[in-house]
Amino acid sequence: MTKVESDIDIAPFIDHALLNPTATSEHLKKCCEEAERFQFATVCVYPYFVHEAAILLQRKQPKVCAVIGFPTGATTSAAKLYEAQEAAENGATELDVVINFSLLKSRQTDKFHRDIAKICDETGLIVKAILETALLTEAEKRLAAEICMDAGVTYLKTNTGFYGGATVEDVRLLHELGKGQVGVKASGGIRTYEQAVDLIIAGATRLGTSRGPDLIRDRELQDSQDKHD
């Protein structure tokens, strides 16, 4: 790793995820404290925890991001819209929305567009469309990105982490397709500081991970070792 790469501060890129279904309020409190300590961009939580997270982070820098239709995207459009609107009312300022893969793969493009566009239009929040790139062909990635951008999303997101992790290749592709109009969120399987840096260099403007504090400590350890070499 070059010195320039080792100097990258990854903390502002991180959406600090707490998406373990057995998480409790104590886990959420710790997650929010870590997000504030390290100055992460957001905490990313299930809708159930949005209101509590918003209270814990009131007047603090990290924002609250809610996952919608997570992790399969297979709920109805009406259910997703209600979930998104409720999350907005409870204090979320960003939404990570799982696309409907069935609509994409069956080329029901009008319905696919409406599924995302209604959430963008009616909440007015930052929307990150989760494409689950591990499940898509390159042609499907391109089609999904094009439709989601037309629908008004703010970011294209690689994965939920349930079916595969973010790759440099996918981030580069989404960055290319975004043409500077939208951000790219790399998510899934980010386990080291070096990996996080590689994804940022490839074009990621957000990183979704539950390992944010470990990645920061990983960098600090490397810096300490470099000083002693």
Side-chain angles (χ1 to χ4, degrees):
M1 181 180 293
T2 68
K3 186 177 188 306
V4 171
E5 291 169 347
S6 66
D7 284 344
I8 293 177
D9 180 10
I10 65 172
F13 291 81
I14 291 176
D15 287 347
H16 191 26
L18 181 65
L19 298 172
N20 184 333
T22 62
T24 66
S25 290
E26 284 303 309
H27 294 115
L28 179 66
K29 183 179 179 183
K30 180 183 177 186
C31 178
C32 291
E33 288 173 348
E34 289 172 339
E36 171 64 10
R37 183 188 319 146
F38 294 106
Q39 295 293 278
F40 293 148
T42 74
V43 296
C44 186
V45 296
Y46 284 108
Y48 174 76
F49 277 131
V50 166
H51 181 65
E52 191 173 350
I55 292 172
L56 289 168
L57 291 172
Q58 190 172 15
R59 291 188 294 276
K60 296 179 180 177
Q61 180 172 306
K63 306 304 181 186
V64 180
C65 173
V67 291
I68 303 298
F70 195 86
T72 67
T75 50
T76 65
S77 294
K80 276 186 189 173
L81 179 59
Y82 179 85
E83 189 176 34
Q85 289 172 324
E86 186 178 43
E89 290 169 3
N90 285 336
T93 59
E94 302 188 6
L95 305 170
D96 283 19
V97 182
V98 187
I99 66 171
N100 187 309
F101 308 112
S102 178
L103 292 177
L104 177 67
K105 286 182 173 290
S106 59
R107 296 297 193 269
Q108 297 184 62
T109 54
D110 288 344
K111 289 183 178 180
F112 180 87
H113 182 278
R114 286 197 298 272
D115 191 62
I116 296 292
K118 277 201 166 188
I119 293 173
C120 294
D121 293 343
E122 298 197 25
T123 66
L125 300 185
I126 289 171
V127 172
K128 309 185 198 92
I130 307 177
L131 307 187
E132 203 69 88
T133 51
L135 300 181
L136 306 181
T137 65
E138 181 167 335
E140 289 168 343
K141 294 171 194 176
R142 289 179 178 275
L143 178 61
E146 179 184 345
I147 295 173
C148 287
M149 289 172 61
D150 187 68
V153 304
T154 320
Y155 289 80
L156 299 172
K157 178 177 172 179
T158 59
N159 304 89
T160 62
F162 278 69
Y163 305 101
T167 67
V168 165
E169 293 74 22
D170 278 338
V171 169
R172 282 183 183 145
L173 176 63
L174 297 183
H175 178 65
E176 171 198 325
L177 296 172
K179 298 177 182 177
Q181 299 172 30
V182 297
V184 177
K185 178 174 174 178
S187 186
I190 304 174
R191 295 184 172 85
T192 67
Y193 173 75
E194 290 96 335
Q195 186 182 6
V197 168
D198 286 344
L199 292 166
I200 291 170
I201 291 172
T205 50
R206 284 287 183 91
L207 302 172
T209 177
S210 61
R211 300 169 183 263
D214 293 333
L215 301 185
I216 302 297
R217 295 183 191 108
D218 187 19
R219 179 199 179 187
E220 292 171 348
L221 179 60
Q222 288 176 15
D223 287 346
S224 177
Q225 289 173 340
D226 289 344
K227 288 176 183 177
H228 288 87
D229 286 344

